[in-house]
Amino acid sequence: MFGGHENWQRKYAARHPEVKILSGTEDFAENVVSNKTRLVLLNSHHMSHKVFYKIRRLQQRLRFRIEYVK
């Protein structure tokens, strides 16, 4: 999962410890997702355009599914 405010991320992580949560404002290594990634969750309420478009480019190349959460 990418994005969401830090407080929201903490609450989400407490309920879903199996989900890896990454910042929506800091750059990330492209190998965080791979062709084996089936689903990426996005909370765009606290996400930079740069991160959002990087995820979209990776999705087009690797074909993983994106779902938006609030």
Side-chain angles (χ1 to χ4, degrees), residues 6-70:
E6 291 175 6
N7 293 334
W8 182 87
Q9 288 178 347
R10 267 193 301 279
K11 292 174 186 176
Y12 192 90
R15 290 187 175 177
H16 305 281
E18 72 282 2
V19 176
K20 182 174 183 175
I21 300 176
L22 299 162
S23 172
T25 57
E26 297 176 17
D27 197 18
F28 61 93
E30 288 189 9
N31 65 355
V32 170
V33 293
S34 71
N35 58 355
K36 294 182 181 181
T37 303
R38 295 183 300 169
L39 175 65
V40 170
L41 300 171
L42 294 181
N43 182 334
S44 60
H45 288 286
H46 196 75
M47 180 175 287
S48 70
H49 286 93
K50 181 180 178 180
V51 170
F52 177 80
Y53 287 112
K54 185 173 183 178
I55 295 166
R56 292 289 292 152
R57 284 191 304 274
L58 287 169
Q59 185 221 14
Q60 290 170 349
R61 190 173 74 219
L62 301 173
R63 299 290 181 203
F64 53 80
R65 196 170 98 222
I66 292 179
E67 286 193 20
Y68 295 87
V69 295
K70 291 184 180 185

